[in-house]
Amino acid sequence: MKVVLLAGGLGTRLAEETQLKPKPMVEIGGYPILWHIMNIYSHHGLNDFIICLGYKGYIIKEYFANFVQHRSDMSIDLSTGKMEYLGSRDLPSWKVTLIDTGQDTMTGGRLRRVGHLLPPGEPFCLTYGDGVADVDITELLAFHKKHGLLATLTAVQPPSRYGVTMVEGDRVKRFVEKPPGEGGRINGGFFVLDPRVIERIEGDATVWEAQPMVSLAEDGQLGAYRHNGFWHPMDTLRDKQHLEALWMERKAPWKVWQ
């Protein structure tokens, strides 16, 4: 099964980092957040990735072009240019296809541009290149198969940015620091889709989260897999620092791989 990753946006709310690199290449614990997302899928046996490039996409290409070299011992004969790998460390079994889907293309348009790479009749996964979660991908796939719909999204409870108080009279009876959303759920990405959904995307200007998803919902073809565990986007520098702290403290819930 193929996994499509949307990695072409500008990331303007994280301008401190994205002036120099695409948002999916912003690092958490010394590794691009894109690497973290791919490891989540790989843990569940999904290793065939299609990455939709846009803004500064050449940086993502260079990262994967040099991936083996950066994780290998090597011997180089400078007089001949001959290079020999002496051993590799922690190399994943990934196949990575990198497609330039346009600088200004919207999310739906990016998906449409890689549609020819998706086998007809075979579901595929889709998610964003800027958020992590401990989603059970295996269970998500089983949910999608069971319901037989064209599309399934992962419905998550967004983290609150503030502490919540329950006040009675002049006293605080209960205080919770930054709880999950109070019952409300949002689109957390981590989709499973039938390739036929691409027929609902008109062109490059189509936002996946607009008409395509709206029409799927109206037709009763959009399922919601409820994820009650950890989910966190990386929209701002504050988000990046929070995820970095969790990783450095070895408390990163999304690190489901060994």
Side-chain angles (χ1 to χ4, degrees):
M1 177 180 287
K2 295 186 183 294
V3 180
V4 178
L5 300 173
L6 298 173
L10 293 175
T12 54
R13 286 182 289 180
L14 195 58
E16 300 89 346
E17 296 268 358
T18 55
Q19 287 182 350
L20 301 175
K21 64 183 71 171
K23 193 177 180 183
M25 292 303 292
V26 174
E27 294 184 352
I28 303 297
Y31 300 95
I33 193 168
L34 184 62
W35 175 89
H36 291 262
I37 297 167
M38 293 169 75
N39 268 291
I40 294 170
Y41 280 102
S42 185
H43 176 70
H44 292 273
L46 279 67
N47 296 300
D48 192 349
F49 299 95
I50 300 172
I51 303 180
C52 302
L53 306 177
Y55 173 69
K56 295 187 181 294
Y58 66 91
I59 294 179
I60 300 178
K61 286 183 179 180
E62 290 174 354
Y63 175 76
F64 286 105
N66 297 313
F67 196 93
V68 175
Q69 292 183 11
H70 289 170
R71 286 163 175 77
S72 301
D73 297 326
M74 59 177 58
S75 174
I76 304 174
D77 187 331
L78 298 182
S79 65
T80 64
K82 181 180 178 181
M83 184 168 58
E84 179 183 0
Y85 291 112
L86 303 178
S88 302
R89 302 182 300 275
D90 304 324
L91 287 178
S93 301
W94 295 348
K95 177 185 176 183
V96 183
T97 303
L98 302 153
I99 304 296
D100 184 355
T101 54
Q103 179 81 12
D104 302 315
T105 307
M106 296 292 102
T107 49
R110 295 191 190 284
L111 176 56
R112 186 172 183 268
R113 285 208 186 191
V114 300
H116 64 287
L117 299 173
L118 301 170
E122 180 180 308
F124 66 96
C125 293
L126 168 74
T127 200
Y128 308 107
D130 61 356
V132 288
D134 58 354
V135 176
D136 187 331
I137 302 296
T138 301
E139 188 176 275
L140 168 63
L141 294 174
F143 177 93
H144 177 79
K145 182 178 181 180
K146 175 183 177 181
H147 289 79
L149 302 178
L150 290 178
T152 299
L153 64 78
T154 298
V156 301
Q157 294 180 300
S160 172
R161 296 196 180 276
Y162 306 99
V164 174
T165 60
M166 295 181 62
V167 179
E168 292 183 9
D170 296 326
R171 294 176 182 265
V172 175
K173 290 294 186 181
R174 184 166 178 261
F175 177 80
V176 181
E177 175 64 8
K178 300 178 182 177
E182 299 175 0
R185 290 182 182 268
I186 64 170
N187 165 29
F190 294 94
F191 299 91
V192 185
L193 305 173
D194 184 288
R196 287 175 290 173
V197 302
I198 296 175
E199 299 170 5
R200 299 172 184 250
I201 302 172
E202 293 185 2
D204 284 356
T206 303
V207 177
W208 165 246
E209 299 79 8
Q211 185 55 36
M213 283 184 60
V214 169
S215 68
L216 285 164
E218 290 175 344
D219 294 344
Q221 287 294 323
L222 181 59
Y225 172 77
R226 291 177 175 82
H227 173 59
N228 297 317
F230 179 87
W231 174 87
H232 208 291
M234 190 184 65
D235 288 333
T236 65
L237 182 60
R238 180 177 179 177
D239 291 329
K240 192 258 188 195
Q241 292 169 341
H242 175 63
L243 295 174
E244 180 83 16
L246 289 174
W247 182 266
M248 299 308 293
E249 295 168 6
R250 299 188 177 183
K251 297 179 180 178
W254 70 90
K255 189 181 182 302
V256 293
W257 64 95
Q258 297 298 320

